[in-house]
Amino acid sequence: MSPANAEPIGIAILTKAPEPGKVKTRLAMMLGVEGAARLHERFIARTVEAAAEAATGPITIWASPDADHPFFQDMAQQIPLAFQRQVGDDLGERMHVAIAHANAPTLVIGTDCPLLTSTHLRDAAEVLRGGADAVIFPAQDGGYVLIGLRRPMPELFANMAWSTDGVMMETRLRLQHLGLSWREPVHHLWDVDRPTDVMRMKREGLTELLEGIDSRPAKQG
């Protein structure tokens, strides 16, 4: 837990409502649409719990299409959360809006990285408290799983080729061009997007997230 007098560092969590057939669609072949949605729910819960345990500052769920899903409302009964509807034409614009709305130093994360812990979040917050303009956790696929900024910087997000392996490299180039300071205290985290990532979860001790949903139900008849 952060000291009581520490500068608050908000955490913005961008995620989708866990509607079967609309989340983790690339995993449906392995898990079925219901199983993929249940795994997405568990990822959201794990991420929110890590943010709450980190206690760096206020937590905001930026939900798509909105925050009316019962899963979000049930979670809000257990953990203090604010909710906003995601706004923007692409991922970059949605992240920028979340940071600009906070009007304070903010960490932005998704819910696809089950390795992200409260310790990671506290470490990222300390980088911003230490005066760096930005903190980033690179992902193995060439993107990143966390970005934190002391202030809004739309130049880091505009006209980016999202979901490609050049995102992290391009972000570094932009940070350099803008003359900004940043740190990358954690390397090589990874998201769960494809069936091969589910197999990796099993190999790396994350089987509790898959309990009861790691195979498609048998066909009837």
Side-chain angles (χ1 to χ4, degrees), residues 2-110:
S2 302
N5 61 346
E7 178 186 23
I9 307 293
I11 300 178
I13 302 173
L14 274 61
T15 193
K16 295 180 180 179
E19 299 180 14
K22 297 184 179 180
V23 295
K24 293 292 174 205
T25 54
R26 284 179 286 186
L27 301 183
M29 182 69 71
M30 173 183 282
L31 307 178
V33 293
E34 295 287 345
R38 287 180 63 193
L39 181 60
H40 183 62
E41 285 185 352
R42 293 180 185 183
F43 281 177
I44 296 172
R46 187 181 182 94
T47 303
V48 171
E49 288 164 5
E53 183 178 344
T56 65
I59 305 168
T60 303
I61 302 289
W62 287 81
S64 175
D66 53 51
D68 293 337
H69 194 282
F71 180 78
F72 290 138
Q73 300 307 312
D74 289 346
M75 186 170 293
Q77 299 300 313
Q78 306 170 45
I79 297 173
L81 300 170
F83 289 93
Q84 296 288 338
R85 183 176 64 85
Q86 287 188 30
V87 178
D89 292 332
D90 66 6
L91 176 60
E93 188 173 352
R94 293 191 288 271
M95 289 194 290
H96 169 65
V97 167
I99 294 169
H101 181 272
N103 195 32
T106 302
L107 308 176
V108 180
I109 57 177

Side-chain angles (χ1 to χ4, degrees), residues 11-12 95 106-110 113 116-117 120-125 127-128 134-139 143-149 168 171 183-186 189 191:
I11 300 178
M95 289 194 290
T106 302
L107 308 176
V108 180
I109 57 177
C113 180
L116 196 64
T117 67
H120 289 136
L121 296 172
R122 283 193 291 265
D123 289 347
V127 171
L128 297 184
V135 58
I136 309 180
F137 289 1
Y144 51 77
V145 301
L146 176 152
I147 186 166
L149 301 176
M168 187 65 234
T171 301
R183 286 184 56 198
E184 301 174 19
V186 175
L189 295 179
D191 286 332

